[in-house]
Structure formats: C-alpha cells, structure tokens
Amino acid sequence: MKPVTKTLTVVAVLLITAGAILLSLGAIGFRATSDRPDANIGAGIALLAGPYVVGLGLVFALSAGLTHLTTRRR
C-alpha cells in the first residue's frame, strides 16, 4: 500500500471510531437524563455530530479505496 492510502485508511478508521463513540456517549447521556430532557445539551450535540463524523469517515474510506484501486503498481 502507498503511504497516501495508508494515511487515508487510518484517518477513516479513527473518524468512524470517534463517531461511534460520540453516538454511544450521546445515547447514554440522553437516557441518563430522560426525566429532564433539557438538562444535558452535550448529549444532544453528540447525537447530532456523531452521524456526521461517521459519514466523514466513510468518505475517507471511499477515497482510500478509490486511491488503492487507481494507483499503478510497479
């Protein structure tokens, strides 16, 4: 693998992992304060930002895959 493909793959894995952690922490925080839904604004932000971070990771994964397929091997 080329260094660019490795870098894109690592970034994609890190972004997808960070997005999954954001989603899980947001869900836990939201469930913990379900009696007062306005008490935990951070959980709402995590629930909103998590899918975008995962989507960005998937874009990096797609670009890593396309880079791997389009580079010539010597």
Side-chain angles (χ1 to χ4, degrees), residues 3-51:
V4 174
T5 308
K6 286 182 184 179
T7 305
L8 287 172
T9 305
V10 168
V11 169
V13 168
L14 290 176
L15 283 173
I16 292 171
T17 304
I21 290 171
L22 269 176
L23 281 170
S24 63
L25 289 177
I28 290 169
F30 189 73
R31 292 291 288 165
T33 60
S34 63
D35 55 340
R36 296 181 322 217
D38 59 340
N40 196 350
I41 296 172
I45 292 172
L47 285 173
L48 287 175

Side-chain angles (χ1 to χ4, degrees), residues 2-3 7 12 17-19 22 25 29 31-32 34 41 46-47 49-50 54 56-58 61-62 69-71 73-74:
K2 301 273 184 182
T7 305
T17 304
L22 269 176
L25 289 177
R31 292 291 288 165
S34 63
I41 296 172
L47 285 173
V54 171
L56 185 64
L58 291 176
L62 181 64
L69 291 175
T70 58
T71 55
R73 296 188 181 119
R74 293 180 184 199

